[in-house]
């Protein structure tokens, strides 16, 4: 049913795209335009989330064209939740970026290059934002494919922005992986269209039958999405790309972009028959990711590399719970999405905070960070709080997610899953405290250097970390939104 | 229902949390504001807690609920047992704050110290007021996080290493506890402390699960409660400044563990079910072993703070011992020891801190003649040590007396041997210290007192708290039968909740 006011649905997509165009056309670095559209997009997204919560599923056909010709948008609880999550993380990152590009200007001849970076950053970021929202809200697989490509290309552009050789290499690898993934996805979509005769996602999923072409299609789609989500063992491209990018970009990539492809994977895999048959596959890979990512994170010398490998590990949690979805009455889905949102906020905050350390100290070697707390108490605190949520300690969204995971798993008799989650959070604690111990170390700095980091950077990192804490006590609200089906 | 009773509990938490958060943002040099906020918060909390205790005694109910998940709530509720722990923490917090202000004078990072210090007490009160198992877990984990910065406060390599060990132990314990709580939740849903017998219907079908969950839960809280063999972190955490050690041992961490054991045995499982599952005897043996083993190790230490630390390992297990004997008299003995041990142990740590700061003496072998230079400090130390040994009419005697009565009542005469052996060991490791301090000649003349500090020993804010708590440990023993003693309150708890 299409109600007249559900045209709200298009604004989280249209607003950032408009902003991207205007920023692209702007002559000088479009900081104000970018920030304005970031606020606008967040506002529209929050309104959408609130509307879905209050009135149920919203859908909209653009230009009143019906599928299969027109573009149809649909926001159920899960989609609205993801859009809302993107709004919160996106707004914090945008505010941070404003301060970030300002703080990096040093008044010498390298400033031209930095201004050029900012000039490309805003349009790319807003394009990415719009495409992500499109991904969440699209109802048919071809549009999803388009959004997927837009997300991939703008992410690669953002990754390459820093211009340093390691990030260029990483961006190139990212591009190739992304293209391969998209290709696989597109091929799978072709198979689906051939067998099901429709591009509508809901129709495809309800028509899933274990015939060879459908299995082939699903395998191709899944492989493509897993490659793009960097689930172990496809994670090789992620750490260098996320760690070497500019700091706001790292937060965007780790906090938001991987959630897009993960969300699609969830959309394809929520069918019970499928989960009962092969649900263990993503779960096993997820378990591998948790162990391997944590081990790698613990062995890193650089803070941003540690945080990036932590993303590899945390992606594992996003997949390990797929078997839990087999019981639709349980809280498996809630645990799942709660984890995704908490991770987005916490990881975003950690990358933003790590960015302030990197900018101020000129390096991010973990062992040499002692004393940073004295200089930047706010972002040190933000990093520690983000780590708290990652470890699943109260009061944080991570704690709620972990609690939901473990109680649901035990309730369904999946002991191995409960054990993986509990042991995994022990591993997480090991690497988080390796970093936090250095940052919170009470050792004093010999001299106090000039603070180069804008206050808005530190505070936006803290705000995002506090949002992860807030998730620890308002769980009924997001879970209610999630329950709108 | 009147609203103020619900907000009172929140106000009790906020009275230390808000000052803590403000103190974080204060400049390092802003000494007067920091001190004012600290004292103000601690005093306001004391008053609010008194209001609460009077209210409970008059039969009023205090509870706050926040829906955390669709089927589970965060509950703060004040029952008589929580009031006991809350009263202990808020009184000792006030004293420790006064002590810490003088102790940390001119040392760096004081804003951070007092910020975390306040948060730590907030969380401890949260543990005391937790009304269900999830809320308990919630604050129990936060306690780890708020105490860690205090343990590493000095920032030396030893402190950082001790911090790592501390985290390794406490976070692992936290994971165990988490697992147990989640498991229990999956079986029965929300576990409220105020509703007893929730688990009894499970007995037929889930006997093995119940036993395993009990083991996991006790191991989880036992890490903080320093049950042997989970006590390894405690002596290492001694690198922290003296007020932190005092707080860790007497109020916050170790006590939270012991309190957790009480909650799990008495309120989650309930004594009848624990007995039916055959779990009281293993717990009793564990407690008895911890009591003896801790004392033996204490005997081997020359470092004063380490000796005190092992003494804590031993003494705190009296609480578990009393609970696992399982009759009202023994429960009274164990419960009242929560308070008695706190008052006595905090005195000992204050004194050890004074001696280390003023005379730079850390080892017992160097304490010859300390009593002449610091008579008030050593006087307080002597009183508290006598109490620990269990000399009548001190606080420790009362605890041991009730434990012994309970043991005989239960037909466990062999426990008397454990108590006597433990008393002998206590005497063996405390009396030599007292002897050295008072009756031996110092190796060299003591450095003179520096500046007009009011007392001969050292600054009055360092001397007054231990003297006060030492007298208190005498008074609560001497006046144990009066209506205002901790023993009277414990009798009230047992009569209302765990009586026959």
């Amino acid at each position: 049913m299409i109600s007249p006011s559900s045209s709200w649905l298009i604004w989280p997509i249209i607003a950032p795209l408009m902003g991207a165009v205007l920023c692209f056309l702007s002559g000088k670095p479009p900081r104000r335009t970018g920030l304005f559209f970031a606020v606008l997009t967040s506002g529209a997204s929050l309104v959408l989330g609130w509307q879905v919560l209050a009135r149920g599923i919203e859908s909209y056909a653009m230009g009143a064209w019906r599928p299969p010709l027109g573009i149809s948008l649909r926001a159920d609880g899960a989609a609205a939740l993801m859009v809302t999550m993107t709004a919160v993380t996106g707004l914090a990152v945008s505010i941070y970026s404003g301060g970030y590009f300002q703080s990096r200007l040093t008044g010498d001849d390298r400033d031209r290059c930095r201004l050029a970076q900012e000039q490309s950053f805003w349009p790319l970021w807003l394009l990415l934002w719009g495409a992500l929202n499109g991904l969440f809200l699209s109802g048919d697989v071809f549009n999803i494919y388009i959004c997927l490509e837009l997300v991939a290309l703008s992410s690669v552009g953002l990754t390459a922005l820093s211009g340093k050789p390691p990030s260029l290499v990483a961006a190139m690898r990212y591009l190739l992986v992304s293209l391969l993934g998209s290709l696989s996805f597109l091929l799978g979509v072709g198979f689906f269209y051939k067998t099901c005769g429709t591009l509508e996602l809901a129709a495809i999923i309800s028509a899933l039958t274990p015939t060879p072409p459908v299995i082939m299609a699903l395998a191709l789609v899944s492989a493509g999405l897993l490659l793009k989500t960097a689930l172990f063992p496809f994670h090789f491209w992620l750490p260098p790309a996320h760690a070497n990018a500019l700091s706001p970009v790292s937060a965007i990539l780790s906090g938001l972009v991987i959630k897009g492809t993960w969300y699609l994977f969830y959309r394809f895999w929520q069918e019970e028959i499928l989960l009962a048959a092969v649900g263990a596959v993503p779960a096993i890979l997820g378990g591998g990711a948790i162990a391997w990512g944590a081990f790698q994170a613990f062995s890193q010398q650089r803070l941003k590399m540690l945080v990036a490998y932590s993303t590899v590990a945390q992606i594992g949690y996003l997949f390990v719970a797929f078997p839990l979805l087999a019981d639709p009455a349980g809280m498996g889905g809630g645990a799942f999405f709660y984890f995704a949102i908490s991770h987005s906020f916490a990881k975003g905050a950690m990358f933003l905070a790590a960015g302030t350390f990197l900018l101020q100290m000129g390096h991010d070697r973990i062992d040499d960070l002692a004393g940073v707390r004295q200089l930047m108490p706010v972002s040190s605190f933000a990093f520690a709080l983000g780590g708290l949520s990652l470890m699943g300690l109260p009061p944080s969204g991570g704690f709620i997610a972990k609690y939901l995971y473990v109680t649901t798993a035990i309730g369904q008799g999946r002991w191995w899953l409960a054990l993986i989650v509990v042991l995994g959070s022990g591993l997480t604690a090991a690497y988080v405290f390796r970093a936090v111990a250095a940052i919170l170390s009470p050792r004093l700095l010999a001299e106090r250097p000039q603070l180069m980091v804008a206050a808005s950077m530190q505070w936006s990192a803290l705000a995002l970390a506090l949002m992860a804490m807030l998730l620890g006590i308002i769980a009924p609200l997001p879970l209610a939104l999630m329950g709108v089906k | 229902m009147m609203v103020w009773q619900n907000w009172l509990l929140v106000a009790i938490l906020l009275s230390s949390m808000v000052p803590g958060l403000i103190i974080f943002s204060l400049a390092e040099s802003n000494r007067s504001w920091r001190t004012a906020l600290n004292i103000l918060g601690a005093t306001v909390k004391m008053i609010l807690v008194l209001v609460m205790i009077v209210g409970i005694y008059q039969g009023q109910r205090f509870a706050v609920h926040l829906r955390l998940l669709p089927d589970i709530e965060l509950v703060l509720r004040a029952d008589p047992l929580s009031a006991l722990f809350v009263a202990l923490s808020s009184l000792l917090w006030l004293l420790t704050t006064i002590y810490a202000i003088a102790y940390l004078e001119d040392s760096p990072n004081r804003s951070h110290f007092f910020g975390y210090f306040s948060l730590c007490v907030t969380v401890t009160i949260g543990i005391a007021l937790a009304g269900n198992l999830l809320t308990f877990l919630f604050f129990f984990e936060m306690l780890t996080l708020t105490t860690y910065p205090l343990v590493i406060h000095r920032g030396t390599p030893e402190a950082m290493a001790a911090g790592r060990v501390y985290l390794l132990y406490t976070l692992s314990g936290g994971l165990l506890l988490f697992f147990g709580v989640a498991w229990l939740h999956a079986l029965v849903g929300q576990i409220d402390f105020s509703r007893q017998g929730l688990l009894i219907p499970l007995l037929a079908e889930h006997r093995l699960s119940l036993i395993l969950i009990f083991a996991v839960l006790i191991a989880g809280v036992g890490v903080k409660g320093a049950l042997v063999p989970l006590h390894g972190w405690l002596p290492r955490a001694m690198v922290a400044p003296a007020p932190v050690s005092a707080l860790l041992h007497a109020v916050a961490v170790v006590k939270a563990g012991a309190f957790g054991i009480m909650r799990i045995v008495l309120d989650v499982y309930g004594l009848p079910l624990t007995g039916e599952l055959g779990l009281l005897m293993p717990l009793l043996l564990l407690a008895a072993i911890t009591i003896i083993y801790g004392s033996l190790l204490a005997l081997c230490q020359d470092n004063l703070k380490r000796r005190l630390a092992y003494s804590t390992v031993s003494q705190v297990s009296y609480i578990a011992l009393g609970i696992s004997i399982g009759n009202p008299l023994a429960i009274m003995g164990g419960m009242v020891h929560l308070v008695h041990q706190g008052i006595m142990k905090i005195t000992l740590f204050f004194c050890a801190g004074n001696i280390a700061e003023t005379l730079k003496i850390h080892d017992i072998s160097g304490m010859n003649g300390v009593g002449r230079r610091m008579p008030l400090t050593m006087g307080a130390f002597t009183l508290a040590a006598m109490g620990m040994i269990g000399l009548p009419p001190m606080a420790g005697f009362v605890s041991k007396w009730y434990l012994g009565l309970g043991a005989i009542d239960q037909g466990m005469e062999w426990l008397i041997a454990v108590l006597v052996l433990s008393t002998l060991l206590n005497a063996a490791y405390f009396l030599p210290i007292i002897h050295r301090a008072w009756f031996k000649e110092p190796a060299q003349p003591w450095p003179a007192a520096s500046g007009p500090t009011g007392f001969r020993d050292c600054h009055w804010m360092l001397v007054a708290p231990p003297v006060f708590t030492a007298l208190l440990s005498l008074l609560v023993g001497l006046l144990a039968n009066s209506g205002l003693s901790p023993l009277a309150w414990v009798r009230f708890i047992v009569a209302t909740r765990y009586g026959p």
Side-chain angles (χ1 to χ4, degrees), chain A residues 331 373 381 388 393-395 399-400 402-404 406-407 410-411 415 418-419 422 425-426 429 433 437 440-442 444 472-473 475-476 479, chain B residues 66-70 72 74 108-109 112 116 134 137-138 141-142 145 148-149 152-155 160 167 171 175 178-179 181-183 185-186:
Chain A
M331 293 299 290
R373 181 193 82 182
F381 205 49
L388 192 98
L393 291 181
F399 174 75
I400 299 286
K402 193 171 85 168
Y403 195 78
L404 285 171
V406 174
T407 45
I410 294 178
W415 290 93
L419 276 178
V422 169
S425 65
F433 267 104
L440 289 191
S441 156
L444 298 176
I473 45 176
L479 288 177
Chain B
L66 170 75
R67 191 152 283 286
L68 202 60
L69 283 174
I72 200 155
L74 205 63
N109 282 328
H112 257 81
Y116 284 115
L134 182 76
L137 170 72
F138 204 84
E141 294 272 54
M142 278 159 69
L145 302 170
Y148 170 72
I152 63 165
H153 180 74
R154 290 209 201 275
M160 300 306 280
L167 280 179
L171 286 178
L175 284 181
F178 176 87
F179 194 69
V181 172
W183 191 350
H185 182 177

Side-chain angles (χ1 to χ4, degrees), chain B residues 279-349:
Chain B
L279 293 167
L280 282 177
M281 194 38 113
L283 188 61
L284 182 68
L285 288 177
L286 196 64
I289 291 171
T290 307
I291 288 172
I292 302 295
Y293 182 75
S295 293
L296 283 174
L297 282 181
L299 203 53
C300 308
Q301 310 298 324
D302 187 38
N303 181 296
L304 180 57
K305 277 180 87 180
R306 285 180 73 91
R307 183 172 287 190
L308 294 180
Y310 279 111
S311 154
T312 303
V313 172
S314 163
Q315 290 276 342
V316 165
S317 280
Y318 280 136
I319 300 170
L321 187 80
I323 302 302
S324 49
I325 293 173
N327 60 20
L329 282 173
I331 294 176
M332 272 172 64
M335 236 177 228
V336 81
H337 203 56
L338 185 87
V339 175
H340 288 171
Q341 190 269 353
I343 300 172
M344 296 184 291
K345 193 36 85 49
I346 209 162
T347 316
L348 295 173
F349 271 107

Side-chain angles (χ1 to χ4, degrees), chain A residues 101-120:
Chain A
F101 287 108
Q102 182 62 43
S103 302
R104 285 171 86 229
L105 298 179
T106 48
D108 55 27
D109 50 353
R110 280 178 303 173
D111 277 1
R112 264 194 39 222
C113 165
R114 288 174 179 145
L115 286 172
Q117 283 175 352
E118 183 174 14
Q119 185 131 31
S120 318

Side-chain angles (χ1 to χ4, degrees), chain A residues 256-320:
Chain A
L256 297 176
V257 172
I258 54 163
K259 305 292 188 307
T261 42
W262 165 77
Y263 170 82
L264 280 185
F265 189 87
Y266 162 80
R267 282 285 192 208
F268 277 99
W269 278 66
Q270 46 182 313
E271 202 59 27
E272 283 154 58
I273 319 155
L274 187 65
L275 289 165
V278 281
V281 176
I284 291 168
L285 296 182
I290 291 174
W292 179 247
F295 171 71
Q296 285 289 331
F298 190 75
S299 342
Q300 296 306 312
Q301 300 303 317
R302 284 184 45 209
L303 188 60
K304 280 184 76 176
M305 279 305 263
L306 183 148
V307 183
Y309 266 108
S310 144
T311 300
V312 171
Q314 302 285 313
I315 289 170
Y317 281 100
L318 291 176
F319 285 94
V320 83

Side-chain angles (χ1 to χ4, degrees), chain B residues 108-120:
Chain B
N109 282 328
R110 273 169 299 171
S111 282
H112 257 81
F113 180 88
F114 283 108
Y116 284 115
F117 200 68
S118 303
L119 290 186
C120 174

Side-chain angles (χ1 to χ4, degrees), chain A residues 355-448:
Chain A
T356 64
F357 305 148
L358 181 61
L359 185 61
Q360 175 67 37
M361 313 282 273
H363 70 81
D364 63 344
R365 291 183 303 275
I366 296 167
D367 296 330
D368 299 334
L369 282 177
V372 80
R373 181 193 82 182
Q374 223 191 329
L375 214 52
M376 287 175 284
V378 175
S379 46
S380 304
F381 205 49
F383 190 93
L385 287 182
L388 192 98
S389 178
L390 237 48
M391 286 185 278
L393 291 181
S396 70
F399 174 75
I400 299 286
K402 193 171 85 168
Y403 195 78
L404 285 171
Y405 267 135
V406 174
T407 45
T408 315
I410 294 178
Q412 297 181 3
R414 292 189 160 85
W415 290 93
W416 56 275
L417 216 159
L419 276 178
I420 287 180
V421 172
V422 169
L423 291 179
S425 65
L427 295 177
T428 314
Y431 68 74
V432 165
F433 267 104
R434 188 171 127 66
V436 167
I439 290 164
L440 289 191
S441 156
R443 219 177 312 158
L444 298 176
L445 289 173
E447 57 194 272
R448 256 188 120 89

Side-chain angles (χ1 to χ4, degrees), chain B residues 73-112:
Chain B
E73 289 177 320
L74 205 63
V75 182
L76 293 178
R77 184 186 297 113
D79 61 12
L81 180 57
S82 36
L84 185 75
F85 194 19
V86 170
L88 174 77
S89 326
S90 34
L91 174 66
L92 295 190
W93 182 44
L94 177 60
L95 296 171
T96 313
T97 305
I98 296 173
Y99 183 83
I101 289 168
Y103 187 88
L104 289 173
E105 187 129 339
D106 302 327
S107 73
N109 282 328
R110 273 169 299 171
S111 282
H112 257 81

